[in-house]
Amino acid sequence: DVKVTQSSRYLVKRTGEKVFLECVQDMDHENMFWYRQDPGLGLRLIYFSYDVKMKEKGDIPEGYSVSREKKERFSLILESASTNQTSMYLCASSLWRLAGGPGELFFGEGSRLTVL
Amino acid sequence: QQPVQSPQAVILREGEDAVINCSSSKALYSVHWYRQKHGEAPVFLMILLKGGEQKGHEKISASFNEKKQQSSLYLTASQLSYSGTYFCGTDMEYGNKLVFGAGTILRVKS
C-alpha cells in the first residue's frame, strides 16, 4: 500500500516562529502536493512539485515556501508563522497519468497547526 | 480558480439518491472525485477524462461534460457509509495542478 507520512499530527507554534512540515511518500511518485484545509473553503493548493528540486506555486503560496531535495520528501516551510496560517495541512502524492496530468492522489493524515 | 460544487450540503435517508455537481469557468482536462470521512484523509473515488466518459465505483458513478465544463457525481441507493465530504478536483490540459472545490457535505441517516 502507498503510504504518505506527515511528520507531526499536531503542532502549536508562536507568531513569528519558523515552522517545518515534513512529508514522506514510499511509492516513488513524481508529484507531491501541499494543501491547506479550512472549513467552508475546501482543499486549497499551496505548492506542488513534479520532480526533485522542481516546484510550482498553487493558488495560495504567499507566506509559504517548499523544498524537495529528494524524490520521496516534500517539505512545507512557514518562514514566519502568523495566526491566519492556523489550519489543517494535507500532503499528497501521485504518479503521472499516461495521458498527462496527475493520477490518483494519496493523502497523508494531515498536520493540524495552531499559531498563537 | 477553484471549481464550484453544489449543493454545499445534503441530508439523505438510506436508500435515497443524490447528485453532486462540479463546474469550472475554465476548460478542463480531467476531473477527480474524493471522499473524506470525519477525521480522516480524503480517499480517491475516480478520475474522468475529457471525452464525456462515465465511470462507476460500486453504486457511485460520475459523468464529465467537457463542453459544459462540469462533472456530476451520482450516489444511488445511499448507505450510511456514504456519509462524508465529497470533493471534486480539476486540472487543465497539459497542466499538472490539481485544484479542489470547497466540498459537499453528505449525511445519510437511517
Side-chain angles (χ1 to χ4, degrees), chain A residues 35 37 41 48 96 99 105, chain B residues 2 29 34 36 96-98:
Chain A
Y35 293 91
Q37 183 172 22
L41 298 178
F48 69 102
W96 285 112
L105 263 61
Chain B
Q2 276 186 295
Y29 190 57
Y34 293 78
Q36 183 180 34
N96 41 21
K97 290 202 299 187
L98 191 65

Side-chain angles (χ1 to χ4, degrees), chain A residues 11-25:
Chain A
L11 302 95
V12 179
K13 299 292 181 180
R14 295 208 173 273
T15 302
E17 280 193 76
K18 191 168 186 175
V19 181
F20 292 87
L21 299 179
E22 305 285 338
C23 175
V24 178
Q25 50 95 4

Side-chain angles (χ1 to χ4, degrees), chain A residues 33 35 37 40-45 48 50 56-59 90 96-97 99-105 107-109, chain B residues 1-2 8 29-30 32 34 36 39-44 47 49 85 87 91 95-103:
Chain A
F33 306 80
Y35 293 91
Q37 183 172 22
L41 298 178
L43 302 167
R44 291 183 293 166
L45 182 63
F48 69 102
Y50 51 91
E56 286 199 27
K57 294 179 181 179
D59 292 336
L90 288 168
W96 285 112
R97 294 196 312 269
E104 173 185 353
L105 263 61
F107 284 87
E109 293 292 318
Chain B
Q1 199 170 359
Q2 276 186 295
Q8 288 183 308
Y29 190 57
S30 72
H32 293 223
Y34 293 78
Q36 183 180 34
E40 298 180 8
V43 173
F44 173 80
I47 293 176
L49 304 179
T85 302
F87 293 99
D91 72 313
N96 41 21
K97 290 202 299 187
L98 191 65
V99 180
F100 286 93

Side-chain angles (χ1 to χ4, degrees), chain A residues 2-15:
Chain A
V2 173
K3 192 157 186 188
V4 178
T5 304
Q6 295 184 229
S7 55
S8 306
R9 290 297 304 273
Y10 300 94
L11 302 95
V12 179
K13 299 292 181 180
R14 295 208 173 273
T15 302

Side-chain angles (χ1 to χ4, degrees), chain A residues 29-47:
Chain A
H29 285 174
E30 297 94 352
N31 301 315
M32 295 189 76
F33 306 80
W34 276 106
Y35 293 91
R36 66 176 279 179
Q37 183 172 22
D38 301 287
L41 298 178
L43 302 167
R44 291 183 293 166
L45 182 63
I46 305 171
Y47 268 98

Side-chain angles (χ1 to χ4, degrees), chain B residues 61-105:
Chain B
S61 62
S63 63
F64 177 24
N65 186 324
E66 73 223 50
K67 279 189 178 177
K68 293 184 178 179
Q69 294 162 195
Q70 66 186 35
S71 175
S72 296
L73 186 73
Y74 306 95
L75 298 104
T76 306
S78 58
Q79 306 166 15
L80 294 174
S81 62
Y82 287 2
S83 292
T85 302
Y86 289 77
F87 293 99
C88 69
T90 58
D91 72 313
M92 291 170 283
E93 192 154 10
Y94 306 121
N96 41 21
K97 290 202 299 187
L98 191 65
V99 180
F100 286 93
T104 295
I105 299 170

